[in-house]
Amino acid sequence: MRYSSDDLRAAVTAGVINPGQLEPLLAFLATRQPAQPAAAPKFDVVHLLWYMGALVVMTAMGLFSTLAFSQMGGRALTATALVYGALFAGVGHYLWTVRKLRTPGGLLIAVAVSMIPLAVYGVQDTYGAWNQFGKPGTVRDFYIWIKGSWIFMELATIAGGIVALRFYRFPFIVLVIAFALWFLSMDIVPWITGQPIGNWETSRRVSVWFGLGIILAAVIVNMWQRSGDFAFWLYLFGVMTFWGGITASSYGTPVDKALYCAMNFGFLLLAAFLGRRVFAVFGTVGIAFYLGDLANKVFKDSMLFPFALSLIGIGIIAFGLYYHRHQAGISDWVDRHLPEALKRLRPANAVA
């Protein structure tokens, strides 16, 4: 907190400070260097390039796994994944500990974690583990045991990500863990229930419940985290899977569509309550989908339909501008009208 000389003189008038202490105190404070505010986290072009580079490497290695496996077999795939993982981990550790470049160092550690499923894939093929659980990709209709082998890759990736987080407190590693958890949810439910993999409705429901679980986990992490935004990627991935699963089933009756619109409006309220813009983004897109479908029904085969869509787009842009300008006031309004029980659930670092 900052205090002015007027504040100190007011304290003398109120009898809090002895008048004889005022001038020495002012002289002492005049010699003090102003404290430099802590650098706020930023996401500029350099950070964008770092993150894009890490994602490109992960994507490239995923494509490489298919080509390498088909041409070189499991042993070569495992060796390549281990060498790449060691190199990425080594360089990432150097940047993290020696150069103090936490963002590129943490990203390289995350890339190293993403090598784990490739290594496990190769090991399973080398030692014939596919023979027990079935080799994925060999038949079109995957059933309970055919996709079971993926589970070991996912469990290994989750374990590796948790170990990496223990030594490198970098939030992006959580995204790798979240992806592995999502794939695990897709594979383990058919494995337990005996339902065929590839059933769209089953996959959609799993995504909805998995996304809801990840959102709840993000709320808990957001309430307990002290440094670093580890909840960001959980919120993003959870909202994406939950919203995507609900959106995939929103083309039903008019009542279903109205409920879908209401859910997306609720996302806007959650954005203000939790201070997470990801809810506002997906909620706005969902409302746009609903209004676009409604406009299509009202103006079907009419020249007015493009104009109606244009108005919807302009309205969304205007809402975004309004929200950006008044986000602090919106957050304050929500805080004033929240019941005390809900206020205790609101993260202390919630920023609209």
Side-chain angles (χ1 to χ4, degrees):
M1 297 179 65
R2 296 181 179 273
Y3 304 96
S4 66
S5 59
D6 291 336
D7 295 325
L8 297 178
R9 290 189 174 90
V12 171
T13 304
V16 178
I17 299 177
N18 190 302
Q21 296 175 325
L22 177 61
E23 294 303 325
L25 181 59
L26 289 175
F28 170 75
L29 293 177
T31 63
R32 297 276 293 172
Q33 294 292 331
Q36 296 295 327
K42 62 178 182 178
F43 195 84
D44 53 17
V45 175
V46 175
H47 288 72
L48 178 63
L49 293 175
W50 284 341
Y51 277 85
M52 285 185 62
L55 291 173
V56 168
V57 172
M58 292 180 182
T59 303
M61 290 306 296
L63 296 175
F64 168 79
S65 65
T66 302
L67 298 175
F69 182 78
S70 62
Q71 296 181 15
M72 296 184 292
R75 292 182 183 273
L77 178 60
T78 299
T80 304
L82 291 176
V83 170
Y84 268 82
L87 289 174
F88 285 126
V91 177
H93 177 76
Y94 171 77
L95 294 176
W96 183 278
T97 58
V98 179
R99 300 294 301 275
K100 305 301 180 183
L101 295 173
R102 295 301 176 89
T103 299
L107 286 172
L108 290 181
I109 296 297
V111 173
V113 173
S114 71
M115 299 295 107
I116 293 177
L118 304 184
V120 175
Y121 187 102
V123 169
Q124 286 183 276
D125 177 76
T126 301
Y127 291 97
W130 298 127
N131 296 332
Q132 179 180 0
F133 296 101
K135 194 170 184 176
T138 56
V139 293
R140 182 176 180 84
D141 298 323
F142 295 111
Y143 285 90
I144 175 171
W145 290 106
I146 295 180
K147 263 294 189 71
S149 299
W150 293 113
I151 293 176
F152 302 105
M153 300 162 57
E154 294 149 2
L155 290 175
T157 305
I158 294 168
I162 293 173
V163 172
L165 278 176
R166 171 65 178 81
F167 297 98
Y168 309 96
R169 304 283 292 176
F170 190 67
F172 188 74
I173 299 174
V174 176
L175 177 65
V176 181
I177 298 175
F179 262 106
L181 283 170
W182 182 44
F183 290 138
L184 179 63
S185 70
M186 289 295 183
D187 292 334
I188 201 170
V189 171
W191 195 16
I192 294 174
T193 62
Q195 295 294 323
I197 289 179
N199 186 309
W200 166 252
E201 182 59 23
T202 299
S203 299
R204 187 193 65 78
R205 290 180 179 178
V206 170
S207 284
V208 169
W209 286 106
F210 172 80
L212 184 60
I214 291 295
I215 292 173
L216 293 177
V219 172
I220 295 174
V221 171
N222 197 20
M223 293 176 64
W224 287 96
Q225 65 187 4
R226 293 295 179 265
S227 62
D229 193 0
F230 291 89
F232 170 79
W233 296 105
L234 292 175
Y235 273 121
L236 177 61
F237 203 80
V239 172
M240 182 174 63
T241 53
F242 175 80
W243 181 88
I246 295 294
T247 300
S249 65
S250 62
Y251 299 100
T253 65
V255 175
D256 294 333
K257 295 179 180 180
L259 291 175
Y260 173 75
C261 181
M263 181 201 75
N264 284 279
F265 182 77
F267 269 27
L268 301 182
L269 299 179
L270 276 176
F273 176 73
L274 296 173
R276 293 290 170 172
R277 294 182 178 89
V278 62
F279 288 96
V281 172
F282 281 91
T284 302
V285 173
I287 292 174
F289 283 169
Y290 173 77
L291 293 177
D293 179 75
L294 187 63
N296 183 41
K297 295 291 191 300
V298 175
F299 300 103
K300 187 175 183 180
D301 299 326
S302 171
M303 289 292 293
L304 295 177
F305 180 60
F307 296 100
L309 284 181
S310 299
L311 289 176
I312 291 173
I314 293 172
I316 291 173
I317 294 173
F319 173 76
L321 292 173
Y322 177 85
Y323 185 84
H324 176 73
R325 182 176 299 177
H326 299 89
Q327 56 185 348
I330 294 174
S331 180
D332 291 340
W333 183 88
V334 170
D335 191 59
R336 288 196 307 270
H337 292 80
L338 276 178
E340 289 299 325
L342 290 178
K343 283 184 180 180
R344 288 193 292 268
L345 296 177
R346 193 183 191 197
N349 59 343
V351 179

